[in-house]
Structure formats: C-alpha cells, structure tokens
Amino acid sequence: MATSSLSLKQIVNVIINLSPKAAPRKAFNLGLIIGSAAVIPASERIRIYTDTDSMLEDGFTTADAEFKAAQLVFSQPLPPTRLAIGRWDKTKPETALEAVTACRDADNEWYTFTVCGATTADVKAIATYIESATPSSAYFFTTADFDIPAGTAGNIFEFLKEKLYRRTLGQYCSHSDTPDAVAAILGYAMGANNGTANSAYTLAYKREIGVTVENLTNTQVEKIKGNNGNIYINRGTYYNVFEQGWMADGTSFDELINLDKLANDIQLAVMDVLYSNPKVPQTDSGVTTIINAINKACDQSVKIGFIAPGVWNGPAVLNLQNGQTLPKGYLVQAEPIASQDQADRDARKSPPIYVATKLAGAIEFVTIRVDVN
C-alpha cells in the first residue's frame, strides 16, 4: 500500500522572488535620415535598416537622397549596425519640422538625425525645436551656402552661434555629389558610440569616407570655424580630416552625447530602484540605496573614458571642496534626512542629491617647443 506524501511547505517554505527586469538602456547609437522618397508610408513614418542592400530591396533607388546619405553612414571605418530612415511626406504638404516631430512621435530611440533637402529656413526651425525636444537629440545638417566661407554677416552658422544652440551641428560642403555630407560624420558618431571600455571619442580629425575635401584658404577656414561651423579639409597633404566637431554654441559633440547618456543612465538607474523595491525607506539608508545606483551609472562613464580622476575646480558642493581630488572622477552626495523640510518629507521626496563629475576631456591642439643647440 502506497504511503501518502504530505507537502514540505509547512516545514520548509521556499518563496521565489524574481526581481523585475531593469529598463533597457538607450544606446545613443541610432541615427536617423529623413527624406521625401515615397517608400515608407507616412502612417508608418520610420523603418530601421542594417545596410543599403535592404533599402534597395524595400524600394529605394540609388538616386534617392536617403540612399546616398545612408551610403555615407555605412561607409565609415566604424559604421553603426542600424540606421533609421524617416519619411518626409511632401504630399500633404508637410514642412521639414513637421516631418521631424512626426518621426519623433513614431520612434524615440534615435539620437542624431539629418534631413535631406532642408532649406536654410528649415534648418533654423529644426534647430529651434531640437533645443528643447524630448528625449534629448542632436541635429546634423549640411549647407553649401557661399556666404559661409565668405563670412557674410547673418549666414546660417553665425545665426545659430548667436542663438547659442547646443544641439545643432552644421557642416559646410560645396560638392554637389554629397549634398548631405554630414551623414558621414553622423555615421562615425553612431558607430563609435558602442559603450565598450575606453570607447569615448571625439569627432575632430576623423575621415569622412565618400566625401571630397574642401579647397579653402586659411582665411575661409577661420571664418567658418569662427562661427563654430565644421568642414572636411586636407592638412599637410596626407591628412583628410573633419574639423572640429563643434555644435553651434561651440560645445564639442562628444561632450554633449556623453552627458545626455549619463543623465539617461542616472534617470533609469534611480527609476529601477523605485520600481524593483517594495519600498525605499525615507532614511539615510534609503538614500544610500539611490546613491549606489547613481554610482553604477557614473561607473559606466568612467569605463568608456568620459569621466576620469582629477581635481575638482568648481565651487564647493556639500563636503566636496575646491581643490579636492576625485579619485574615481565623480562623487555622489546627498543632504541628510535629518535636515529635510517636513513638507518634503510628507510629500515623500528624497533630499537633494548632488553628482560632481570630472570629465576626462580631450587633446585636440598641441604646442611643442624644440630647443636646439
């Protein structure tokens, strides 16, 4: 006769507590090319491609501006693995800015973008929009306006510089075969941003495969760069280089993208803490849990080489004083719970948290003195 078997739960009760998955991190390595070819339906707006062959299979032709720009993107030494193509629906008619906002509504993963066939008026409208667009993005454009190397007052580079626009990068290119030449450096930027150790980069002095260098005088180059414009030129016969990698306000693109990525990583890291825990206590211990999550986000910036150890030269931040060394390149601090205002405590707010970072920076100009006896 079989003996009945009673459950072990009354003696040993094993509870499996599976933590929720962390939110996927935005990679900041997807670029977008917007054009008016009627291949992608306006209702769909965006498609993702891994190469130009798949674009041809989808109905694009080699004469389409989007295809030519995509060729530049995928031809770079470190090409991205994916590229988004967006539809500018001119049958409505639709403005370039409306096409950009529609593409943002359709997909919020892409970071850099350019618009094929955008006029100077379009560039101004898009640059104004992208400054405050959510999520953070960067607009790249190409212009062949002859008033740019001439330094004519009011040219598009000067206009954007005076507006202090930080999220727009312009390239001057006079060659009619590459009206969207900036797609080349966009491709490099997205391909190089792979998140691996020491992968931080600058756009300065990179090659633009598929783009012809400009034949400019030193005076013309200085006028372009004086307005924070970018160009592809030859230096010393042997070097074809993109200079300088500046946004319209003079900010280096690598600083912009990595700060955007750091802010995104911190935001998601803290949200993961709030989402995955039954409760984060409103105590110093609870705040420490949040600080630890922020530390991990900062560690990623250290890993790629964006943040590095150094001396803090900014104003005092809580216990961090001017002249103090940051051994990790960053320091995360919070005000103590005991000093928290009762209204904030009743509203279940965390005390303010401060993240001080020391950027690794980059060397782009060198002066060398050679003494000879």
Side-chain angles (χ1 to χ4, degrees):
M1 180 179 176
T3 303
S4 60
S5 177
L6 301 178
S7 173
L8 290 174
K9 272 191 174 183
Q10 291 171 302
I11 300 174
V12 181
N13 187 20
V14 178
I15 300 173
I16 303 296
N17 183 19
L18 186 62
S19 299
K21 287 185 178 180
R25 270 32 178 181
K26 184 176 178 180
F28 288 80
N29 61 5
L30 180 63
L32 170 69
I33 306 293
I34 300 176
S36 58
V39 175
I40 302 171
S43 57
E44 186 177 351
R45 192 60 72 167
I46 282 181
R47 287 180 184 172
I48 307 296
Y49 297 94
T50 56
D51 52 42
T52 51
D53 287 341
S54 57
M55 290 180 65
L56 292 174
E57 292 169 1
D58 218 14
F60 285 97
T61 71
T62 56
D64 289 328
E66 299 96 316
F67 180 85
K68 292 179 179 179
Q71 278 186 313
L72 292 176
V73 169
F74 286 120
S75 295
Q76 302 317 301
L78 291 173
T81 57
R82 301 182 305 149
L83 175 66
I85 303 295
R87 170 75 185 277
W88 178 358
D89 187 7
K90 290 188 175 181
T91 63
K92 285 190 174 181
E94 180 179 75
T95 67
L97 176 57
E98 288 171 338
V100 173
T101 57
C103 286
R104 175 51 81 207
D105 291 339
D107 187 316
N108 65 7
E109 187 181 356
W110 53 266
Y111 181 72
T112 54
F113 72 101
T114 191
V115 181
C116 301
T119 65
T120 299
D122 291 331
V123 170
K124 291 179 179 179
I126 296 169
T128 301
Y129 160 76
I130 210 62
E131 280 297 301
S132 58
T134 303
S136 299
S137 307
Y139 172 42
F140 287 22
F141 75 95
T142 311
T143 177
D145 289 352
F146 61 88
D147 56 355
I148 288 175
T152 306
N155 71 72
I156 186 61
F157 285 172
E158 183 183 78
F159 174 86
L160 297 173
K161 176 186 176 182
E162 291 179 350
K163 290 287 186 179
L164 298 178
Y165 284 157
R166 180 165 289 189
R167 296 192 168 276
T168 297
L169 178 151
Q171 176 177 349
Y172 173 76
C173 179
S174 63
H175 304 291
S176 59
D177 62 333
T178 51
D180 299 296
V182 79
I185 205 66
L186 182 154
Y188 177 89
M190 295 296 91
N193 197 45
N194 54 40
T196 58
N198 300 316
S199 59
Y201 63 89
T202 74
L203 295 185
Y205 315 129
K206 302 304 185 291
R207 292 180 298 163
E208 285 191 310
I209 307 300
V211 180
T212 304
V213 295
E214 295 298 315
N215 184 19
L216 300 170
T217 66
N218 282 328
T219 298
Q220 290 173 319
V221 168
E222 291 307 310
K223 286 180 178 178
I224 292 171
K225 296 178 72 172
N227 283 321
N228 297 331
N230 299 274
I231 41 174
Y232 190 51
I233 54 178
N234 178 270
R235 293 280 189 187
T237 305
Y238 299 105
Y239 301 100
N240 292 337
V241 293
F242 178 82
E243 294 184 10
Q244 194 67 45
W246 290 331
M247 311 308 289
D249 73 338
T251 299
S252 292
F253 171 76
D254 57 285
E255 183 175 309
L256 176 75
I257 187 174
N258 283 302
L259 286 175
D260 282 347
K261 189 176 187 309
L262 176 60
N264 181 74
D265 288 349
I266 289 174
Q267 185 180 51
L268 291 179
V270 174
M271 188 62 201
D272 283 343
V273 169
L274 300 176
Y275 179 66
S276 62
N277 287 279
K279 179 177 93 167
V280 178
Q282 201 170 14
T283 62
D284 288 330
S285 175
V287 174
T288 298
T289 301
I290 295 175
I291 288 177
N292 288 338
I294 297 174
N295 285 339
K296 291 181 181 179
C298 291
D299 285 340
Q300 175 62 22
S301 285
V302 173
K303 173 185 145 184
I304 67 173
F306 178 59
I307 291 176
V311 176
W312 179 253
N313 294 318
V317 182
L318 296 185
N319 296 324
L320 177 63
Q321 303 297 318
N322 181 282
Q324 185 176 337
T325 298
L326 295 178
K328 291 185 176 181
Y330 69 88
L331 179 63
V332 185
Q333 306 175 89
E335 296 180 6
I337 284 286
S339 65
Q340 190 175 31
D341 182 87
Q342 187 60 42
D344 286 342
R345 183 166 180 81
D346 292 342
R348 297 193 167 188
K349 294 180 180 179
S350 163
I353 297 175
Y354 303 87
V355 183
T357 61
K358 188 72 179 180
L359 303 188
I363 296 174
E364 294 182 2
F365 304 95
V366 181
T367 298
I368 302 172
R369 183 176 117 173
V370 179
D371 295 323
V372 180
N373 180 262

